[in-house]
Amino acid sequence: RDLILKALEPALVQGSKHVKIAAASVLLNLAEVLYESSQPPKPWDAACAEVVARLALDFLSKAGSEDVDAVKRSVLAIGTLLVRDKKHEGQVAARCKEANFLAKVQGLESMLGGSTVS
């Protein structure tokens, strides 16, 4: 998992449109695995969740208008993480606040569509 996360960062920054979509899809899949594998009494992997959130938030701050599909997947990954995060230490939520995630998503609403933002 760590090897995959290390490979995603350059793909999200320097990749083509399709590479960014694939990398964002991996982020979303990792978020889903973290969500599903942390059903109580299983522990929440806060460190991995924070890395996934950081990568997604960094991508959102650099994404262009051609990155709509990758942006949607990144937003959904963060939303998936936030559900479990609020029941634990709140590291993902803190990172989202630092990155001004809510304002970014509201700014992207016309590009993403209301159903993604809700």
Side-chain angles (χ1 to χ4, degrees):
R1 182 173 60 191
D2 293 334
L3 185 61
I4 292 170
L5 287 169
K6 285 179 187 176
L8 288 178
E9 190 163 16
L12 287 166
V13 174
Q14 301 168 346
S16 68
K17 174 184 172 181
H18 300 290
V19 170
K20 289 177 184 177
I21 291 170
S25 295
V26 172
L27 285 179
L28 178 55
N29 289 336
L30 285 169
E32 285 291 329
V33 168
L34 286 167
Y35 176 87
E36 292 296 330
S37 66
S38 66
Q39 296 282 350
K42 296 176 186 173
W44 169 242
D45 188 348
C48 185
E50 190 172 359
V51 172
V52 171
R54 179 184 56 80
L55 290 171
L57 289 165
D58 287 350
F59 173 69
L60 289 176
S61 68
K62 298 171 187 165
S65 60
E66 71 281 356
D67 296 324
V68 176
D69 291 327
V71 166
K72 282 183 182 181
R73 287 167 173 81
S74 296
V75 169
L76 292 171
I78 293 168
T80 301
L81 294 173
L82 285 170
V83 174
R84 286 275 189 262
D85 183 66
K86 79 177 186 180
K87 296 178 181 177
H88 294 85
E89 298 172 21
Q91 292 173 331
V92 173
R95 186 170 283 279
C96 287
K97 283 182 184 178
E98 288 172 14
N100 205 14
F101 175 66
L102 187 57
K104 283 181 188 176
V105 171
Q106 289 171 339
L108 296 169
E109 187 170 6
S110 64
M111 179 171 71
L112 299 175
S115 62
T116 304
V117 175
S118 299

